[in-house]
Amino acid sequence: MRVLIATDAWHPQINGVVRTLTSLARAAKGLGVSIEFLTPEGFPTVPLPTYANLRLAIPNSSKIARRIETVNPDAIHIATEGPIGFAARAICRRRGRPFTTSYTTCFPEYIAARAPLPESLTYAVLRRFHAAATVTMVSTTSLMNQLRGRGFQNLSMWTRGVDADLFAPHRAIPLDLPRPIFLTTGRIAVEKNLEAFLSLDLPGSKVVIGEGPQEAELRQRFRDVTFLGLREGPELAGLMAAADGVVQLEALACGIPVAAFPVMGPRDVIGGSAVGVLDEDLRAACLGALTLSREACRKFALTRSWATSARQFIANVSRAALHQPQEIRAAAPIPASARG
């Protein structure tokens, strides 16, 4: 089975979508599924307003169509609601090709934090975008319930995985900082509400890994915080393993407990498991996380593999593949890993 994923987020960007798609392709290959990508490569780009480090492609419709024809996929998945995603969607609709989508970024909240646009308007645009899909994949039950409440349909789960070989306790890099070390990773932007963490009165040290449009401002305001910039691969894994409390599934694989607000995301990952503390009082959550078992965190993360995530994705795109013309379905039967 051959799947083409259209995405506006791609290398050299470093974010959750790019990491997810890269990990998915690697895991799917082991399940007999080939994934290729339709990305901004080869198209002119412009900087995203309020976020100059991110660039949006200006796609050429005919080139998009030729790329799809060249790959001749058995299934098409549209991962982002940007220019590439909209162009691929238009071509699929015009040619009667079924496709799947995924809802990964809370764009309405992201846009509302930067511009005077009501969330209801953005949700209406996204609802129309995803309504044409055979399946729209979401990563958590909370997000699924939220989208259903806003009129989204044909939703299905696609949970994320963790590379437990890369993110592991033995990779810890010694940090010459006062203990305990509380660490957060991700995009440094206003919608992430990093101020809630950085302003806490906590013992030890606070560490931030990542970059983003709010980085300079927060560095200036919180001079007692250690900002390490963008880190990747084994170095990122080592820094996370060296911490005492983090908000990440990768952190759990490193044996590090979670401290977070009881909101969508952390609540879905942690639930009632004793691998993190979710509390409206973030300081209490951070201090409570220090008492939890690191071994329990590691065991919890080992049940969240990328192979499991890939099987969910394959099952979802297979539903769209079954709607393809008969000659395409006969050429590439649904892999056994997606059945049942």
Side-chain angles (χ1 to χ4, degrees), residues 10-171:
W10 197 240
H11 305 289
Q13 295 179 29
I14 300 174
N15 54 46
V17 174
V18 175
R19 285 193 295 268
T20 293
L21 295 180
T22 303
S23 299
L24 168 67
R26 187 164 51 244
K29 185 176 181 180
L31 298 172
V33 174
S34 171
I35 294 182
E36 299 189 42
F37 293 97
L38 196 169
T39 75
E41 290 182 275
F43 296 112
T45 62
V46 295
L48 180 67
T50 77
Y51 204 157
N53 288 343
L54 290 181
R55 302 186 66 84
L56 294 177
I58 305 175
N60 177 290
S61 182
S62 62
K63 286 186 178 180
I64 294 285
R66 284 199 297 273
R67 290 189 186 185
I68 293 175
E69 290 171 359
T70 298
V71 175
N72 190 27
D74 308 301
I76 296 175
H77 177 73
I78 300 175
T80 55
E81 306 97 333
I84 295 291
F86 270 92
R89 178 188 181 277
I91 291 167
C92 288
R93 293 278 286 168
R94 193 159 56 241
R95 300 189 176 185
R97 296 196 67 151
F99 59 92
T100 58
T101 60
S102 51
Y103 190 103
T104 57
T105 302
C106 294
F107 275 122
E109 291 78 8
Y110 178 94
I111 294 173
R114 289 167 166 75
L117 286 177
E119 291 181 10
S120 58
L121 176 61
T122 312
Y123 270 114
V125 173
L126 295 178
R127 186 167 54 246
R128 180 178 177 82
F129 179 92
H130 292 284
T134 303
V135 176
T136 295
M137 306 182 207
V138 296
S139 60
T140 70
T141 54
S142 291
L143 181 57
M144 180 178 286
N145 291 334
Q146 176 183 317
L147 293 179
R148 279 177 175 160
R150 291 187 175 273
F152 286 69
Q153 299 178 340
N154 302 321
L155 302 176
S156 185
M157 290 295 296
W158 174 30
T159 59
R160 301 301 183 260
V162 61
D163 185 344
D165 293 326
L166 176 61
F167 292 92
H170 71 272
R171 292 186 179 274

Side-chain angles (χ1 to χ4, degrees), residues 227-243:
F227 289 83
L228 295 179
L230 192 62
R231 305 297 174 95
E232 298 181 82
E235 184 183 22
L236 173 61
L239 290 168
M240 293 182 73

Side-chain angles (χ1 to χ4, degrees), residues 181-203:
I181 296 172
F182 299 94
L183 184 147
T184 183
T185 72
R187 188 170 65 252
I188 305 177
V190 63
E191 72 274 7
K192 297 299 183 179
N193 193 24
L194 284 179
E195 292 182 62
F197 166 64
L198 300 182
S199 61
L200 293 178
D201 179 16
L202 290 171

Side-chain angles (χ1 to χ4, degrees), residues 213-234:
Q214 204 181 17
E215 182 179 357
E217 173 198 342
L218 295 182
R219 280 180 179 268
Q220 181 69 26
R221 289 175 54 194
F222 298 97
R223 295 183 178 274
D224 60 327
V225 175
T226 300
F227 289 83
L228 295 179
L230 192 62
R231 305 297 174 95
E232 298 181 82

Side-chain angles (χ1 to χ4, degrees), residues 256-270:
I256 309 301
V258 165
F261 287 119
V263 296
M264 183 175 64
R267 189 172 59 233
D268 286 293
V269 173
I270 302 305

